[in-house]
Short mmCIF file of all heavy atoms in Angstrom, two decimals:
data_model
loop_
_atom_site.label_atom_id
_atom_site.label_comp_id
_atom_site.label_asym_id
_atom_site.label_seq_id
_atom_site.Cartn_x
_atom_site.Cartn_y
_atom_site.Cartn_z
N ALA A 1 0.79 -1.26 -0.03
CA ALA A 1 -0.04 -0.05 -0.02
C ALA A 1 0.88 1.25 0.00
O ALA A 1 1.91 1.21 0.65
CB ALA A 1 -0.93 0.03 1.21
N PRO A 2 0.51 2.29 -0.72
CA PRO A 2 1.17 3.49 -0.66
C PRO A 2 1.36 4.16 0.67
O PRO A 2 0.40 4.05 1.45
CB PRO A 2 0.43 4.43 -1.63
CG PRO A 2 -0.45 3.58 -2.40
CD PRO A 2 -0.70 2.25 -1.58
N SER A 3 2.56 4.75 0.90
CA SER A 3 2.60 5.37 2.21
C SER A 3 2.78 6.89 2.33
O SER A 3 2.87 7.47 3.28
CB SER A 3 3.84 4.72 3.01
OG SER A 3 5.00 4.97 2.26
N ALA A 4 2.85 7.41 1.07
CA ALA A 4 3.00 8.84 1.00
C ALA A 4 1.67 9.63 1.32
O ALA A 4 0.60 9.08 1.02
CB ALA A 4 3.40 9.24 -0.47
N LEU A 5 1.84 10.67 2.00
CA LEU A 5 0.67 11.49 2.35
C LEU A 5 0.14 12.16 0.95
O LEU A 5 0.80 12.49 0.10
CB LEU A 5 1.05 12.53 3.28
CG LEU A 5 1.29 12.11 4.76
CD1 LEU A 5 1.84 13.26 5.54
CD2 LEU A 5 0.23 11.38 5.40
N ILE A 6 -1.15 12.24 0.96
CA ILE A 6 -1.88 12.99 -0.15
C ILE A 6 -2.26 14.34 0.41
O ILE A 6 -2.93 14.45 1.62
CB ILE A 6 -3.15 12.24 -0.60
CG1 ILE A 6 -2.91 10.91 -1.00
CG2 ILE A 6 -3.79 12.98 -1.69
CD1 ILE A 6 -1.90 10.74 -2.17
N VAL A 7 -1.77 15.45 -0.21
CA VAL A 7 -2.11 16.74 0.30
C VAL A 7 -2.96 17.47 -0.75
O VAL A 7 -2.56 17.94 -1.77
CB VAL A 7 -0.77 17.64 0.48
CG1 VAL A 7 -1.02 19.02 1.04
CG2 VAL A 7 0.26 16.84 1.31
N PRO A 8 -4.35 17.65 -0.32
CA PRO A 8 -5.27 18.38 -1.20
C PRO A 8 -4.98 19.86 -1.23
O PRO A 8 -4.43 20.44 -0.28
CB PRO A 8 -6.58 18.11 -0.56
CG PRO A 8 -6.38 17.13 0.48
CD PRO A 8 -4.97 17.04 0.83
N VAL A 9 -5.19 20.39 -2.34
CA VAL A 9 -4.75 21.91 -2.48
C VAL A 9 -6.06 22.62 -3.23
O VAL A 9 -6.49 21.96 -4.21
CB VAL A 9 -3.62 22.12 -3.48
CG1 VAL A 9 -3.28 23.59 -3.63
CG2 VAL A 9 -2.38 21.44 -2.81
N SER A 10 -6.44 23.70 -2.73
CA SER A 10 -7.56 24.37 -3.36
C SER A 10 -6.99 25.82 -3.78
O SER A 10 -6.04 26.31 -3.22
CB SER A 10 -8.76 24.62 -2.41
OG SER A 10 -8.36 25.58 -1.42
N ILE A 11 -7.50 26.25 -5.00
CA ILE A 11 -7.10 27.52 -5.52
C ILE A 11 -8.26 28.43 -5.81
O ILE A 11 -9.25 28.03 -6.51
CB ILE A 11 -6.35 27.32 -6.88
CG1 ILE A 11 -5.19 26.36 -6.66
CG2 ILE A 11 -5.81 28.61 -7.46
CD1 ILE A 11 -4.52 25.83 -8.04
N GLU A 12 -8.28 29.42 -4.97
CA GLU A 12 -9.49 30.34 -5.07
C GLU A 12 -9.16 31.62 -5.93
O GLU A 12 -8.02 32.11 -6.00
CB GLU A 12 -9.71 30.93 -3.73
CG GLU A 12 -10.10 29.95 -2.62
CD GLU A 12 -10.37 30.60 -1.30
OE1 GLU A 12 -11.25 31.49 -1.17
OE2 GLU A 12 -9.62 30.21 -0.31
N GLY A 13 -9.98 31.83 -6.93
CA GLY A 13 -9.78 32.93 -7.83
C GLY A 13 -9.26 32.55 -9.16
O GLY A 13 -9.11 33.38 -10.04
N SER A 14 -8.84 31.24 -9.35
CA SER A 14 -8.19 30.99 -10.61
C SER A 14 -9.12 31.12 -11.87
O SER A 14 -8.66 31.39 -12.89
CB SER A 14 -7.72 29.47 -10.57
OG SER A 14 -8.65 28.60 -10.29
N TRP A 15 -10.43 31.02 -11.59
CA TRP A 15 -11.40 31.01 -12.71
C TRP A 15 -11.31 32.36 -13.37
O TRP A 15 -11.50 32.49 -14.50
CB TRP A 15 -12.75 30.75 -12.21
CG TRP A 15 -13.33 31.83 -11.28
CD1 TRP A 15 -13.20 31.92 -9.94
CD2 TRP A 15 -14.03 33.05 -11.67
NE1 TRP A 15 -13.72 33.01 -9.44
CE2 TRP A 15 -14.17 33.73 -10.45
CE3 TRP A 15 -14.38 33.64 -12.87
CZ2 TRP A 15 -15.00 34.98 -10.41
CZ3 TRP A 15 -15.16 34.85 -12.75
CH2 TRP A 15 -15.49 35.59 -11.57
N GLN A 16 -10.91 33.52 -12.68
CA GLN A 16 -10.87 34.77 -13.19
C GLN A 16 -9.72 34.91 -14.10
O GLN A 16 -9.75 35.66 -15.03
CB GLN A 16 -10.73 35.87 -12.07
CG GLN A 16 -11.91 36.03 -11.19
CD GLN A 16 -11.66 36.94 -10.00
OE1 GLN A 16 -10.74 37.06 -9.39
NE2 GLN A 16 -12.79 37.74 -9.68
N ILE A 17 -8.73 34.13 -13.92
CA ILE A 17 -7.57 34.22 -14.76
C ILE A 17 -7.85 33.54 -16.13
O ILE A 17 -7.36 33.96 -17.13
CB ILE A 17 -6.29 33.58 -14.04
CG1 ILE A 17 -5.89 34.39 -12.88
CG2 ILE A 17 -5.08 33.40 -15.08
CD1 ILE A 17 -4.89 33.81 -11.98
N VAL A 18 -8.58 32.36 -16.04
CA VAL A 18 -8.70 31.65 -17.27
C VAL A 18 -10.05 31.85 -17.91
O VAL A 18 -10.28 31.30 -19.10
CB VAL A 18 -8.58 30.01 -17.03
CG1 VAL A 18 -7.13 29.76 -16.48
CG2 VAL A 18 -9.57 29.63 -16.00
N LYS A 19 -10.84 32.75 -17.50
CA LYS A 19 -12.14 33.03 -18.05
C LYS A 19 -12.11 33.52 -19.51
O LYS A 19 -13.00 33.21 -20.29
CB LYS A 19 -13.04 33.92 -17.13
CG LYS A 19 -12.69 35.34 -17.19
CD LYS A 19 -13.54 36.13 -16.27
CE LYS A 19 -13.13 37.58 -16.19
NZ LYS A 19 -14.00 38.45 -15.43
N ASN A 20 -10.99 34.18 -19.75
CA ASN A 20 -10.88 34.71 -21.19
C ASN A 20 -9.79 33.91 -21.80
O ASN A 20 -9.03 34.55 -22.76
CB ASN A 20 -10.67 36.23 -21.26
CG ASN A 20 -11.98 36.93 -20.74
OD1 ASN A 20 -12.94 36.61 -21.17
ND2 ASN A 20 -11.65 38.02 -20.12
N LYS A 21 -9.51 32.74 -21.44
CA LYS A 21 -8.36 31.93 -21.95
C LYS A 21 -6.95 32.51 -21.93
O LYS A 21 -6.25 32.48 -22.78
CB LYS A 21 -8.69 31.51 -23.38
CG LYS A 21 -9.99 30.69 -23.53
CD LYS A 21 -10.19 30.17 -24.98
CE LYS A 21 -11.50 29.35 -24.76
NZ LYS A 21 -12.09 29.08 -26.11
N LEU A 22 -6.85 33.24 -20.73
CA LEU A 22 -5.51 33.88 -20.38
C LEU A 22 -5.17 35.05 -21.30
O LEU A 22 -3.97 35.51 -21.25
CB LEU A 22 -4.38 32.92 -20.35
CG LEU A 22 -4.45 31.76 -19.31
CD1 LEU A 22 -3.27 30.82 -19.61
CD2 LEU A 22 -4.48 32.35 -17.94
N PHE A 23 -6.08 35.54 -22.04
CA PHE A 23 -5.75 36.78 -22.82
C PHE A 23 -6.80 37.79 -22.71
O PHE A 23 -7.99 37.35 -23.05
CB PHE A 23 -5.51 36.39 -24.35
CG PHE A 23 -5.06 37.48 -25.18
CD1 PHE A 23 -3.76 37.86 -25.12
CD2 PHE A 23 -5.93 38.30 -25.97
CE1 PHE A 23 -3.22 38.88 -25.89
CE2 PHE A 23 -5.50 39.39 -26.75
CZ PHE A 23 -4.13 39.71 -26.67
N PRO A 24 -6.57 38.99 -22.43
CA PRO A 24 -5.39 39.31 -21.78
C PRO A 24 -5.23 38.85 -20.37
O PRO A 24 -6.14 38.62 -19.72
CB PRO A 24 -5.50 40.93 -21.69
CG PRO A 24 -6.99 41.18 -21.71
CD PRO A 24 -7.61 40.00 -22.39
N VAL A 25 -4.05 38.80 -19.89
CA VAL A 25 -3.77 38.35 -18.62
C VAL A 25 -4.16 39.37 -17.61
O VAL A 25 -3.73 40.54 -17.81
CB VAL A 25 -2.33 37.90 -18.39
CG1 VAL A 25 -1.98 37.66 -16.90
CG2 VAL A 25 -1.84 36.87 -19.30
N PRO A 26 -5.12 39.05 -16.75
CA PRO A 26 -5.70 40.15 -15.96
C PRO A 26 -4.60 40.58 -14.97
O PRO A 26 -3.80 39.91 -14.40
CB PRO A 26 -6.85 39.40 -15.09
CG PRO A 26 -7.08 38.18 -15.86
CD PRO A 26 -5.85 37.83 -16.67
N PHE A 27 -4.66 41.91 -14.64
CA PHE A 27 -3.66 42.51 -13.66
C PHE A 27 -4.25 42.77 -12.37
O PHE A 27 -5.32 43.20 -12.32
CB PHE A 27 -3.02 43.81 -14.26
CG PHE A 27 -2.14 44.60 -13.38
CD1 PHE A 27 -0.82 44.07 -13.25
CD2 PHE A 27 -2.47 45.53 -12.55
CE1 PHE A 27 0.08 44.73 -12.43
CE2 PHE A 27 -1.57 46.17 -11.77
CZ PHE A 27 -0.29 45.73 -11.70
N GLY A 28 -3.59 42.34 -11.31
CA GLY A 28 -4.03 42.74 -9.88
C GLY A 28 -5.11 41.75 -9.42
O GLY A 28 -5.61 42.08 -8.33
N LEU A 29 -5.32 40.67 -10.00
CA LEU A 29 -6.26 39.73 -9.31
C LEU A 29 -5.64 39.03 -8.24
O LEU A 29 -4.44 38.71 -8.17
CB LEU A 29 -6.74 38.64 -10.47
CG LEU A 29 -7.61 39.17 -11.58
CD1 LEU A 29 -7.87 38.03 -12.50
CD2 LEU A 29 -8.89 39.78 -10.96
N LYS A 30 -6.51 38.67 -7.28
CA LYS A 30 -6.05 37.88 -6.04
C LYS A 30 -6.38 36.43 -6.25
O LYS A 30 -7.44 36.10 -6.49
CB LYS A 30 -6.74 38.37 -4.76
CG LYS A 30 -6.43 37.89 -3.59
CD LYS A 30 -7.12 38.40 -2.31
CE LYS A 30 -6.78 37.59 -1.05
NZ LYS A 30 -7.53 38.17 0.00
N VAL A 31 -5.31 35.65 -6.15
CA VAL A 31 -5.41 34.15 -6.20
C VAL A 31 -4.85 33.62 -4.86
O VAL A 31 -3.74 34.00 -4.52
CB VAL A 31 -4.75 33.60 -7.45
CG1 VAL A 31 -4.74 32.00 -7.54
CG2 VAL A 31 -5.27 34.19 -8.76
N VAL A 32 -5.65 32.80 -4.23
CA VAL A 32 -5.24 32.21 -3.00
C VAL A 32 -5.06 30.70 -3.12
O VAL A 32 -6.02 30.01 -3.60
CB VAL A 32 -6.26 32.57 -1.92
CG1 VAL A 32 -5.78 31.82 -0.57
CG2 VAL A 32 -6.46 33.94 -1.72
N VAL A 33 -3.87 30.17 -2.68
CA VAL A 33 -3.65 28.73 -2.79
C VAL A 33 -3.65 28.34 -1.28
O VAL A 33 -3.03 28.72 -0.39
CB VAL A 33 -2.32 28.44 -3.43
CG1 VAL A 33 -1.97 26.90 -3.26
CG2 VAL A 33 -2.23 29.00 -4.81
N ASN A 34 -4.56 27.32 -1.11
CA ASN A 34 -4.75 26.76 0.29
C ASN A 34 -4.21 25.33 0.29
O ASN A 34 -4.64 24.49 -0.55
CB ASN A 34 -6.32 26.74 0.61
CG ASN A 34 -6.83 28.06 0.64
OD1 ASN A 34 -6.53 28.95 1.50
ND2 ASN A 34 -7.87 28.31 -0.24
N ILE A 35 -3.32 25.14 1.19
CA ILE A 35 -2.82 23.65 1.36
C ILE A 35 -3.68 23.09 2.56
O ILE A 35 -3.68 23.61 3.66
CB ILE A 35 -1.29 23.75 1.86
CG1 ILE A 35 -0.58 24.59 0.84
CG2 ILE A 35 -0.77 22.42 1.99
CD1 ILE A 35 -0.51 24.15 -0.52
N LEU A 36 -4.40 22.00 2.18
CA LEU A 36 -5.36 21.44 3.20
C LEU A 36 -4.71 20.32 3.98
O LEU A 36 -3.66 19.87 3.67
CB LEU A 36 -6.53 21.04 2.46
CG LEU A 36 -7.19 22.16 1.57
CD1 LEU A 36 -8.38 21.52 0.78
CD2 LEU A 36 -7.65 23.31 2.35
N GLU A 37 -5.52 19.73 4.98
CA GLU A 37 -5.00 18.77 5.79
C GLU A 37 -4.61 17.57 4.94
O GLU A 37 -5.35 17.12 4.29
CB GLU A 37 -6.08 18.34 6.82
CG GLU A 37 -5.68 17.35 7.83
CD GLU A 37 -6.81 16.97 8.79
OE1 GLU A 37 -7.68 17.78 9.01
OE2 GLU A 37 -6.56 15.96 9.40
N PRO A 38 -3.37 16.97 5.20
CA PRO A 38 -2.86 15.69 4.51
C PRO A 38 -3.78 14.58 4.85
O PRO A 38 -4.41 14.48 5.96
CB PRO A 38 -1.54 15.56 5.03
CG PRO A 38 -1.10 16.70 5.74
CD PRO A 38 -2.28 17.48 6.12
N ILE A 39 -3.89 13.57 3.86
CA ILE A 39 -4.65 12.37 4.05
C ILE A 39 -3.59 11.21 4.00
O ILE A 39 -2.75 11.15 3.16
CB ILE A 39 -5.58 12.19 2.81
CG1 ILE A 39 -6.58 13.32 2.77
CG2 ILE A 39 -6.39 10.90 2.89
CD1 ILE A 39 -7.36 13.50 1.45
N GLU A 40 -3.79 10.28 4.92
CA GLU A 40 -2.97 9.02 5.06
C GLU A 40 -3.74 7.98 4.24
O GLU A 40 -4.77 7.58 4.76
CB GLU A 40 -2.61 8.76 6.47
CG GLU A 40 -1.76 9.67 7.18
CD GLU A 40 -1.38 9.33 8.56
OE1 GLU A 40 -1.21 7.99 8.75
OE2 GLU A 40 -1.15 10.02 9.37
N PRO A 41 -3.25 7.58 3.11
CA PRO A 41 -4.07 6.67 2.26
C PRO A 41 -3.86 5.13 2.55
O PRO A 41 -4.47 4.34 1.85
CB PRO A 41 -3.49 7.09 0.95
CG PRO A 41 -2.15 7.35 1.10
CD PRO A 41 -2.08 8.04 2.38
N GLN A 42 -3.09 4.84 3.47
CA GLN A 42 -2.82 3.39 3.74
C GLN A 42 -3.98 2.52 3.80
O GLN A 42 -3.98 1.46 3.21
CB GLN A 42 -2.01 3.14 5.13
CG GLN A 42 -0.65 3.59 5.03
CD GLN A 42 -0.52 5.04 5.43
OE1 GLN A 42 -1.49 5.92 5.52
NE2 GLN A 42 0.67 5.59 5.54
N GLN A 43 -5.05 2.81 4.38
CA GLN A 43 -6.22 1.89 4.55
C GLN A 43 -7.35 2.32 3.61
O GLN A 43 -8.46 1.86 3.76
CB GLN A 43 -6.64 1.81 6.03
CG GLN A 43 -5.61 1.43 6.93
CD GLN A 43 -5.07 0.01 6.81
OE1 GLN A 43 -5.85 -0.91 6.31
NE2 GLN A 43 -3.73 -0.13 6.76
N LEU A 44 -7.14 3.23 2.70
CA LEU A 44 -8.18 3.70 1.84
C LEU A 44 -7.94 3.23 0.33
O LEU A 44 -6.86 3.16 -0.08
CB LEU A 44 -8.25 5.30 1.88
CG LEU A 44 -8.34 5.84 3.24
CD1 LEU A 44 -8.21 7.42 3.11
CD2 LEU A 44 -9.71 5.63 3.79
N SER A 45 -9.12 3.21 -0.37
CA SER A 45 -9.12 2.88 -1.71
C SER A 45 -8.76 4.21 -2.52
O SER A 45 -8.96 5.30 -1.87
CB SER A 45 -10.37 2.34 -2.20
OG SER A 45 -11.45 3.29 -2.17
N PRO A 46 -8.37 4.12 -3.69
CA PRO A 46 -8.22 5.35 -4.45
C PRO A 46 -9.41 6.09 -4.54
O PRO A 46 -9.43 7.48 -4.47
CB PRO A 46 -7.72 4.91 -5.89
CG PRO A 46 -6.97 3.63 -5.59
CD PRO A 46 -7.81 2.94 -4.52
N GLU A 47 -10.60 5.49 -4.65
CA GLU A 47 -11.82 6.22 -4.87
C GLU A 47 -12.09 6.97 -3.51
O GLU A 47 -12.57 8.07 -3.44
CB GLU A 47 -13.03 5.31 -5.13
CG GLU A 47 -14.35 6.10 -5.30
CD GLU A 47 -15.42 5.11 -5.83
OE1 GLU A 47 -15.45 4.94 -7.03
OE2 GLU A 47 -16.27 4.75 -4.94
N GLN A 48 -11.85 6.31 -2.38
CA GLN A 48 -12.14 6.97 -1.06
C GLN A 48 -11.15 8.21 -0.87
O GLN A 48 -11.64 9.26 -0.44
CB GLN A 48 -11.92 6.00 0.06
CG GLN A 48 -12.87 4.92 0.14
CD GLN A 48 -12.47 3.82 1.21
OE1 GLN A 48 -11.40 3.29 1.22
NE2 GLN A 48 -13.34 3.68 2.17
N VAL A 49 -9.88 8.06 -1.36
CA VAL A 49 -9.00 9.17 -1.25
C VAL A 49 -9.44 10.45 -2.10
O VAL A 49 -9.53 11.54 -1.66
CB VAL A 49 -7.52 8.88 -1.69
CG1 VAL A 49 -6.71 10.10 -1.80
CG2 VAL A 49 -6.91 7.83 -0.70
N LEU A 50 -9.95 10.07 -3.23
CA LEU A 50 -10.48 11.09 -4.27
C LEU A 50 -11.71 11.75 -3.60
O LEU A 50 -11.79 12.98 -3.67
CB LEU A 50 -10.83 10.42 -5.60
CG LEU A 50 -11.30 11.47 -6.62
CD1 LEU A 50 -10.30 12.48 -6.89
CD2 LEU A 50 -11.74 10.60 -7.86
N ASN A 51 -12.65 10.95 -3.00
CA ASN A 51 -13.75 11.52 -2.39
C ASN A 51 -13.39 12.48 -1.18
O ASN A 51 -14.01 13.57 -1.03
CB ASN A 51 -14.74 10.43 -1.91
CG ASN A 51 -15.45 9.87 -3.13
OD1 ASN A 51 -15.57 10.29 -4.18
ND2 ASN A 51 -15.92 8.56 -2.83
N ILE A 52 -12.53 12.10 -0.43
CA ILE A 52 -12.09 12.80 0.71
C ILE A 52 -11.46 14.21 0.22
O ILE A 52 -11.77 15.29 0.73
CB ILE A 52 -11.13 12.07 1.74
CG1 ILE A 52 -11.75 10.96 2.21
CG2 ILE A 52 -10.48 12.98 2.73
CD1 ILE A 52 -10.78 9.89 3.03
N CYS A 53 -10.58 14.11 -0.74
CA CYS A 53 -9.91 15.31 -1.38
C CYS A 53 -11.06 16.17 -1.90
O CYS A 53 -11.06 17.39 -1.58
CB CYS A 53 -9.04 14.95 -2.44
SG CYS A 53 -7.49 14.24 -1.94
N GLU A 54 -11.99 15.72 -2.63
CA GLU A 54 -13.10 16.49 -3.23
C GLU A 54 -13.92 17.17 -2.18
O GLU A 54 -14.20 18.35 -2.24
CB GLU A 54 -13.94 15.71 -4.16
CG GLU A 54 -15.08 16.49 -4.75
CD GLU A 54 -16.05 15.76 -5.64
OE1 GLU A 54 -15.84 14.51 -5.74
OE2 GLU A 54 -16.90 16.39 -6.20
N GLU A 55 -14.24 16.50 -1.08
CA GLU A 55 -15.00 16.92 0.02
C GLU A 55 -14.28 18.05 0.72
O GLU A 55 -14.85 19.19 0.87
CB GLU A 55 -15.27 15.92 0.92
CG GLU A 55 -16.19 16.19 2.14
CD GLU A 55 -16.34 15.08 3.19
OE1 GLU A 55 -16.83 14.05 2.66
OE2 GLU A 55 -15.86 15.21 4.27
N ARG A 56 -13.01 17.89 1.00
CA ARG A 56 -12.25 19.05 1.62
C ARG A 56 -12.14 20.25 0.86
O ARG A 56 -12.23 21.37 1.30
CB ARG A 56 -10.87 18.45 2.11
CG ARG A 56 -10.94 17.43 3.29
CD ARG A 56 -9.63 16.94 3.62
NE ARG A 56 -9.76 15.94 4.70
CZ ARG A 56 -8.73 15.28 5.25
NH1 ARG A 56 -7.47 15.46 4.88
NH2 ARG A 56 -9.09 14.44 6.10
N ILE A 57 -11.80 20.05 -0.47
CA ILE A 57 -11.60 21.21 -1.32
C ILE A 57 -12.89 22.01 -1.53
O ILE A 57 -12.96 23.12 -1.37
CB ILE A 57 -11.16 20.73 -2.74
CG1 ILE A 57 -9.74 20.21 -2.56
CG2 ILE A 57 -11.21 21.86 -3.85
CD1 ILE A 57 -9.22 19.49 -3.83
N ARG A 58 -14.05 21.24 -1.78
CA ARG A 58 -15.43 21.91 -1.84
C ARG A 58 -15.81 22.65 -0.40
O ARG A 58 -16.35 23.63 -0.51
CB ARG A 58 -16.50 20.83 -2.19
CG ARG A 58 -16.45 20.40 -3.60
CD ARG A 58 -17.62 19.47 -3.89
NE ARG A 58 -17.52 19.09 -5.29
CZ ARG A 58 -17.98 19.83 -6.24
NH1 ARG A 58 -18.48 21.09 -6.12
NH2 ARG A 58 -17.88 19.37 -7.55
N GLU A 59 -15.39 22.04 0.64
CA GLU A 59 -15.71 22.70 1.92
C GLU A 59 -14.85 23.96 2.00
O GLU A 59 -15.48 25.06 2.39
CB GLU A 59 -15.29 21.76 2.98
CG GLU A 59 -15.58 22.27 4.43
CD GLU A 59 -15.20 21.25 5.51
OE1 GLU A 59 -15.72 20.25 5.51
OE2 GLU A 59 -14.24 21.64 6.32
N LYS A 60 -13.59 23.98 1.62
CA LYS A 60 -12.84 25.17 1.80
C LYS A 60 -13.34 26.28 0.76
O LYS A 60 -13.28 27.41 1.06
CB LYS A 60 -11.32 24.77 1.40
CG LYS A 60 -10.45 26.06 1.55
CD LYS A 60 -10.26 26.44 2.95
CE LYS A 60 -9.36 27.59 3.00
NZ LYS A 60 -9.31 28.21 4.38
N LEU A 61 -13.74 25.86 -0.46
CA LEU A 61 -14.27 26.84 -1.43
C LEU A 61 -15.74 27.16 -1.24
O LEU A 61 -16.34 27.84 -2.11
CB LEU A 61 -13.97 26.23 -2.87
CG LEU A 61 -12.58 26.03 -3.36
CD1 LEU A 61 -12.45 25.46 -4.67
CD2 LEU A 61 -11.75 27.29 -3.22
N LYS A 62 -16.30 26.47 -0.23
CA LYS A 62 -17.68 26.81 0.14
C LYS A 62 -18.68 26.34 -1.10
O LYS A 62 -19.61 27.13 -1.49
CB LYS A 62 -18.00 28.23 0.54
CG LYS A 62 -17.24 28.47 1.79
CD LYS A 62 -17.46 29.93 2.20
CE LYS A 62 -16.82 30.27 3.56
NZ LYS A 62 -15.38 30.22 3.51
N GLN A 63 -18.26 25.27 -1.75
CA GLN A 63 -19.10 24.79 -2.95
C GLN A 63 -19.94 23.59 -2.43
O GLN A 63 -19.67 22.73 -1.46
CB GLN A 63 -18.28 24.21 -4.05
CG GLN A 63 -17.38 25.37 -4.62
CD GLN A 63 -16.63 24.84 -5.77
OE1 GLN A 63 -16.30 23.64 -5.93
NE2 GLN A 63 -16.05 25.79 -6.61
N PRO A 64 -21.16 23.43 -2.99
CA PRO A 64 -22.01 22.32 -2.53
C PRO A 64 -21.45 21.07 -3.03
O PRO A 64 -20.78 20.96 -4.14
CB PRO A 64 -23.37 22.63 -3.27
CG PRO A 64 -22.97 23.55 -4.45
CD PRO A 64 -21.81 24.35 -4.05
N LYS A 65 -21.85 19.92 -2.27
CA LYS A 65 -21.47 18.61 -2.63
C LYS A 65 -22.23 18.21 -3.93
O LYS A 65 -23.41 18.49 -4.07
CB LYS A 65 -21.74 17.69 -1.68
CG LYS A 65 -21.20 16.25 -1.81
CD LYS A 65 -21.42 15.46 -0.55
CE LYS A 65 -20.85 14.00 -0.91
NZ LYS A 65 -21.11 13.17 0.29
N THR A 66 -21.49 17.58 -4.80
CA THR A 66 -22.24 17.11 -6.12
C THR A 66 -22.93 15.77 -5.81
O THR A 66 -22.49 14.94 -5.00
CB THR A 66 -21.26 16.89 -7.32
OG1 THR A 66 -20.26 15.99 -6.91
CG2 THR A 66 -20.69 18.23 -7.72
N GLN A 67 -23.96 15.44 -6.57
CA GLN A 67 -24.69 14.21 -6.43
C GLN A 67 -24.05 13.05 -7.35
O GLN A 67 -23.72 13.40 -8.44
CB GLN A 67 -26.16 14.35 -6.76
CG GLN A 67 -26.90 15.25 -5.89
CD GLN A 67 -27.05 14.79 -4.50
OE1 GLN A 67 -27.22 13.63 -4.26
NE2 GLN A 67 -26.91 15.72 -3.51
N LYS A 68 -23.75 12.00 -6.92
CA LYS A 68 -23.33 10.89 -7.54
C LYS A 68 -24.36 10.44 -8.51
O LYS A 68 -25.46 10.19 -8.09
CB LYS A 68 -22.75 9.76 -6.73
CG LYS A 68 -21.61 10.17 -5.76
CD LYS A 68 -20.28 10.39 -6.61
CE LYS A 68 -19.28 10.83 -5.56
NZ LYS A 68 -18.08 11.34 -6.17
N VAL A 69 -24.05 10.06 -9.69
CA VAL A 69 -24.99 9.52 -10.70
C VAL A 69 -24.85 8.02 -10.85
O VAL A 69 -23.76 7.35 -10.88
CB VAL A 69 -24.86 10.16 -12.06
CG1 VAL A 69 -25.86 9.56 -13.08
CG2 VAL A 69 -25.09 11.62 -11.96
#
């Protein structure tokens, strides 16, 4: 089993940079990178790790949870 920690990262404000496909590059926008709590994946499946990452990132960005189809 993998032993490396998984560190989720959220980026706030990045949508403003890419909304016009980086042209023109906006000046003075605030982008915040958040390093979230690490996940120890030893006893988790890849899907569980992904779900935990998504949950933490959505929580930090104050986004609603998506419904599984």
Side-chain angles (χ1 to χ4, degrees):
S3 61
L5 293 176
I6 307 295
V7 182
V9 176
S10 70
I11 304 172
E12 298 179 58
S14 62
W15 67 272
Q16 293 176 320
I17 294 173
V18 297
K19 71 180 178 182
N20 293 322
K21 299 185 178 167
L22 296 176
F23 187 79
V25 175
F27 179 76
L29 290 179
K30 181 179 178 182
V31 176
V32 178
V33 177
N34 299 295
I35 310 300
L36 307 176
E37 182 181 343
I39 299 166
E40 294 188 30
Q42 287 86 355
Q43 304 299 320
L44 302 172
S45 71
E47 185 175 278
Q48 288 172 311
V49 171
L50 182 62
N51 287 339
I52 293 168
C53 284
E54 180 180 0
E55 181 180 300
R56 290 184 184 174
I57 291 168
R58 286 186 178 281
E59 183 179 300
K60 183 66 181 175
L61 297 176
K62 297 175 177 68
Q63 293 181 347
K65 185 176 181 179
T66 57
Q67 298 294 323
K68 300 287 180 191
V69 178

